[in-house]
Amino acid sequence: MKLSSMKLWIRVGALRRRMLCLWLLLLTFALLTLLFSDLFNRNGDRSQQNPSPPRRPLQGIPISPDLEVMVDSKDPALELSMDLAPLNSLQEDQLLFVPSAQQNTREPPQKKRIYKVFLPGVNKDASTPAPLTHEEMGKELRLNLDSFGKDLELAAVKKYGFNEVVSERISLHRRLPDARHPECVGKEYIMSLPSASIIICFHDEAWSTLLRTVHSVLDTAPKRFLHEVLLVDDLSQHGHLKSVLSEYLAHLDRVRLIRSSKRLGVGGCRSLGAARAAGEVLVFMDSHCECQRGWLEPLLERVTQDRTRVVSPIIDVIDWQTFQYNATQWPVRGVFDWRLDFHWDSNPQLQEEDSDWGCSACESPALGGGVLAVDKHFFQSVGAYDPGMLLWGAEQIELSIRVWSCGGSMEVVPCSRVAHLDHHHIPYQIPDQEQTQKNKIRIADTWMDTYRKIYYRRDTQAHFIRQSENPNITEHLRLKRNLGCRNFHWYLTGVYPQLYIPQDRPALSGELYNVGTSSCADYPRGRDPHGGAMMIAPCSGTGSQHCELNSQGEVRWGPMEDLCLDAKGDSVVLSPCPAHQQTNSKLQWKFIKLSGQLVHQESQLCLEAVKEEGFPENHAGQPRGSSTQTIRGRLLLRRCMHHPRQQWHFEQLVAPKGV
């Protein structure tokens, strides 16, 4: 009897302890709920005045593009209905994952990941782990954290094309150092400048870079000139750009969000924003920029003085790895080459011609698409962006040629500076890899007249695409006629005379092919643009190795053909070609068609392909490209002799006669 009573009391005591633990858990949960509710109310009041970005407790971890609040799908108690759970009932630091309204059904559901960390020195087979000292534990923890941090950065670069982990650590209100000319700093502007609509298009942009762009505009643009900031969502799929972004932007003054129901690309997205904008001047800006103080007023002033001007600030550079700011050296201008690729080019000639070069605007043959300011009515009258330029690529070149040819002009304004994030790669896959070539084909066929043959010889892929399908440019040709636009010859002579016009003589232009090595003369893109040592490499067949021997005896190289074959000792190098067709005997060559020798006029030595160690030797007459090994070597000047390595042919890959 006593034994039974004792067992009963033990059971009752255990039950009481369990009940007590349950009550303590419930009490703790209630206190945490009250605490979080109070914090949310305070943050809600503060966010109306100066909202701060949602803190992301797992910054940089790659997440599903269709999620925003982390939930365990296996736990039925945490299931969320899209008809319930309004986002404004959650704290900002909880807004990390939530199912979005538009799911991507093509992508398979992502599995739940479980992460484990194993410390070295732990015996997994033993029942008790080997003891570690505090110093050893700290060292192992630091090593694991460093490795984990590097993995996060690699994942962020792969996802966005830049180090988003570093970006998350930088304030949204970062102030850049002032790199303006001293005369620009104290300059005053009239109060009657026109109002501006800042149009920022984005597609799957990172949270930190997008919001830093918005806040940078709001922090630097005077309110009396800033009418609105229009964010145009070009069908983004990332979850943080859906309801979370809408909730955040609702607390910002003068900021509106427009969402497209289909993928428009850069030109279409900007045209959509322009149609909804209410400001007198449209300022198109990429979604990863940071503005310096005083950037807007100089642009508005130049547009006010001439409503047909399209203007750009100096585009400074933000490093994609470190997010370090790098000021661009003025003067610069926007140019493009014969492959219709845009780049910024230094323009020291302006410094020599203009005593006020430090703060005077400079006319530019083209402007990049990073930041552009244009009068709204002129933009619409000149045709906005070409709707046939799909997705991404070369739309800024098309607009530049059209503006100049149809009555407008383009300038870079040095008193305005905006920094643009340099990408390591395009952060999203282009559905059609030929789309950029198709955009360039529209430019060539619409605007370049007979000069389009030069482009097709330097981009053979575009040539073959053009042979299989013709672009529908009827409407754009009608617009060209209605606006009374000038031809491309006028553009080359009046706007861009610095662009060398190739002669492309038959049998004296194309890939410079070496018989003895079955390879081609090469200078890969990405090397020093001002020249360097030439080499030989496998023939690409894409037009990227195109060169020509012109009537002045120069062997010109590159998409702009501004580099000439030169001699430095016995090495053959590329050097900048002389301006204004000045003759230079050091840069003159003679091609002997009978022997295939290319003779340097000054030294009377012949161009020879010299193999590197392990370089395969080919016999004369061996079929081109028959070697299975990667062929690389150097180009040297040697005594002329009948040897296959001194035998060359200019081979034109395409002959675009009918285009």
Side-chain angles (χ1 to χ4, degrees), residues 110-150:
Q110 298 201 2
K111 297 180 180 179
K112 183 180 179 182
R113 296 181 176 90
I114 299 176
Y115 298 92
K116 295 182 180 180
V117 178
F118 294 100
L119 296 179
V122 177
N123 185 0
K124 292 183 283 185
D125 297 329
S127 58
T128 56
L132 293 174
T133 64
H134 290 291
E135 183 178 352
E136 291 173 333
M137 291 178 65
K139 181 179 179 180
E140 297 298 339
L141 181 59
R142 285 193 297 272
L143 290 174
N144 280 282
L145 288 175
D146 290 342
S147 177
F148 184 62
K150 291 179 180 177

Side-chain angles (χ1 to χ4, degrees), residues 599-620:
V599 182
H600 185 235
Q601 293 282 66
E602 187 177 73
S603 65
Q604 288 298 301
L605 298 175
C606 286
L607 180 67
E608 181 175 328
V610 179
K611 64 180 181 179
E612 293 178 343
E613 186 176 353
F615 192 92
E617 182 85 26
N618 295 318
H619 300 288

Side-chain angles (χ1 to χ4, degrees), residues 438-449:
K438 292 179 180 178
N439 287 347
K440 292 179 178 180
I441 289 171
R442 288 186 63 85
I443 298 174
D445 286 10
T446 305
W447 299 104
M448 295 179 69
D449 306 325

Side-chain angles (χ1 to χ4, degrees), residues 179-194:
R180 292 175 295 171
H181 191 275
E183 294 183 17
C184 297
V185 176
K187 190 173 181 180
E188 297 183 358
Y189 299 90
I190 60 176
M191 297 293 294
S192 58
L193 290 177

Side-chain angles (χ1 to χ4, degrees), residues 11-133:
R11 291 178 181 175
V12 171
L15 181 61
R16 288 178 177 175
R17 286 194 296 273
R18 291 178 182 175
M19 292 295 294
L20 181 60
C21 290
L22 179 60
W23 279 108
L24 287 174
L25 286 174
L26 291 174
L27 181 60
T28 303
F29 178 78
L31 289 174
L32 288 174
T33 302
L34 290 174
L35 177 62
F36 280 21
S37 176
D38 181 63
L39 286 174
F40 171 72
N41 290 332
R42 292 183 204 170
N43 291 336
D45 294 338
R46 293 173 184 172
S47 64
Q48 294 180 1
Q49 299 175 355
N50 187 19
S52 59
R55 292 170 295 164
R56 300 171 67 177
L58 300 178
Q59 292 182 20
I61 294 180
I63 61 175
S64 169
D66 294 318
L67 295 177
E68 286 178 19
V69 180
M70 188 156 52
V71 281
D72 185 354
S73 59
K74 296 181 180 179
D75 187 350
L78 294 178
E79 291 182 356
L80 295 177
S81 169
M82 292 309 299
D83 297 329
L84 304 175
L87 284 175
N88 57 10
S89 65
L90 300 175
Q91 288 186 194
E92 282 188 344
D93 59 357
Q94 293 174 323
L95 298 181
L96 181 60
F97 304 118
V98 175
S100 65
Q102 183 173 2
Q103 296 290 339
N104 188 357
T105 56
R106 295 183 180 180
E107 296 184 2
Q110 298 201 2
K111 297 180 180 179
K112 183 180 179 182
R113 296 181 176 90
I114 299 176
Y115 298 92
K116 295 182 180 180
V117 178
F118 294 100
L119 296 179
V122 177
N123 185 0
K124 292 183 283 185
D125 297 329
S127 58
T128 56
L132 293 174
T133 64

Side-chain angles (χ1 to χ4, degrees), residues 467-486:
Q467 293 298 309
S468 61
E469 55 182 287
N470 294 328
N472 183 5
I473 58 174
T474 304
E475 289 297 326
H476 233 49
L477 290 176
R478 184 181 294 112
L479 174 68
K480 183 179 178 181
R481 289 193 300 269
N482 293 339
L483 293 176
C485 302
R486 294 169 174 170

Side-chain angles (χ1 to χ4, degrees), residues 320-348:
W320 65 270
Q321 288 180 299
T322 64
F323 273 72
Q324 179 181 352
Y325 165 75
N326 299 292
T328 298
Q329 189 70 32
W330 173 255
V332 293
R333 60 177 182 171
V335 296
F336 58 88
D337 55 40
W338 286 110
R339 287 178 65 91
L340 296 181
D341 290 326
F342 174 88
H343 65 273
W344 293 102
D345 181 45
S346 61
N347 186 18

Side-chain angles (χ1 to χ4, degrees), residues 49-53 167 169-176 208 211-220 248 252 290-291:
Q49 299 175 355
N50 187 19
S52 59
S167 178
R169 299 169 183 162
I170 299 173
S171 169
L172 297 184
H173 303 273
R174 176 168 76 158
R175 175 169 290 186
L176 299 178
S208 57
L211 267 296
R212 191 176 296 114
T213 303
V214 174
H215 282 291
S216 180
V217 171
L218 296 176
D219 292 344
T220 56
Y248 183 85
L252 298 182
E290 296 182 53
C291 306

